[in-house]
Amino acid sequence: MTKWLRKIWDEVARPIFLRPQRVQFAALCTRETPNGPEVLLITSRDTGRWIIPKGWPVDGMDGAETALQEAWEEAGVRAPNPSKEPIGHYTYDKILNDGTAYPVLTSVYRVDVQDLEDDFPEAGKRERVWVSPSTAADRVNEPELRDLLLQV
């Protein structure tokens, strides 16, 4: 390969083809009821579709801590400690304001909810609902997330 082609490959083509996925961390918030487990779903702020709380990495926090922080900010969840290991992963395309789609790999951490506050940072911007895992699976758009929900 010529020096010129090598430079084009290293600086332009390779980063396009081998671009790492963006990562997020999500909280699969659950509670036990007499009728079995329930899952907390929230609406996204932009489209209103049903999702689980999730967000971008936060400096100084690991994935589990970030997931718990997002659960608090987006849904008012209070819980002692989420599982330190993800229970699974799912992918989706994050659509930016300019229409660009970025693939996102989301690591999901189970959070056993102790309390649900009414006053939290994004209160009034989202709806939240407790549903059975099968109902939750029917409401979300991401197939891999559906599979995770059905395992609860």
Side-chain angles (χ1 to χ4, degrees):
M1 200 181 280
T2 69
K3 189 175 184 180
W4 178 80
L5 282 176
R6 175 51 118 187
K7 183 174 180 159
I8 295 295
W9 170 251
D10 287 341
E11 295 180 12
V12 179
R14 189 169 193 274
I16 289 172
F17 290 113
L18 301 178
R19 176 182 70 190
Q21 290 183 323
R22 300 201 191 292
V23 295
Q24 286 190 324
F25 302 108
L28 179 55
C29 301
T30 62
R31 70 178 181 186
E32 288 297 323
T33 72
N35 297 324
E38 289 185 329
V39 174
L40 182 66
L41 293 181
I42 61 172
T43 54
S44 68
R45 286 186 301 177
D46 52 353
T47 65
R49 64 188 169 82
W50 291 106
I51 61 171
I52 60 175
K54 66 183 181 309
W56 302 108
V58 176
D59 286 342
M61 291 186 177
D62 64 21
E65 293 166 335
T66 300
L68 188 57
Q69 179 66 30
E70 293 299 325
W72 160 246
E73 291 176 5
E74 297 179 357
V77 167
R78 291 291 189 194
N81 292 314
S83 168
K84 286 295 184 185
E85 293 298 318
I87 60 169
H89 308 274
Y90 72 94
T91 56
Y92 77 100
D93 285 336
K94 175 76 173 173
I95 310 298
L96 303 181
N97 292 339
D98 66 1
T100 305
Y102 285 101
V104 177
L105 175 65
T106 306
S107 297
V108 180
Y109 295 83
R110 186 166 183 162
V111 174
D112 295 318
V113 177
Q114 299 291 313
D115 192 23
L116 203 58
E117 301 284 336
D118 290 328
D119 185 21
F120 55 97
E122 295 186 16
K125 297 178 183 174
R126 300 177 185 269
E127 292 179 46
R128 59 186 181 178
V129 63
W130 286 106
V131 295
S132 70
S134 62
T135 298
D138 288 341
R139 290 187 182 185
V140 299
N141 292 339
E142 300 83 6
E144 295 162 306
L145 178 55
R146 283 186 195 123
D147 293 343
L148 286 174
L149 291 165
L150 291 173
Q151 294 174 20
V152 172

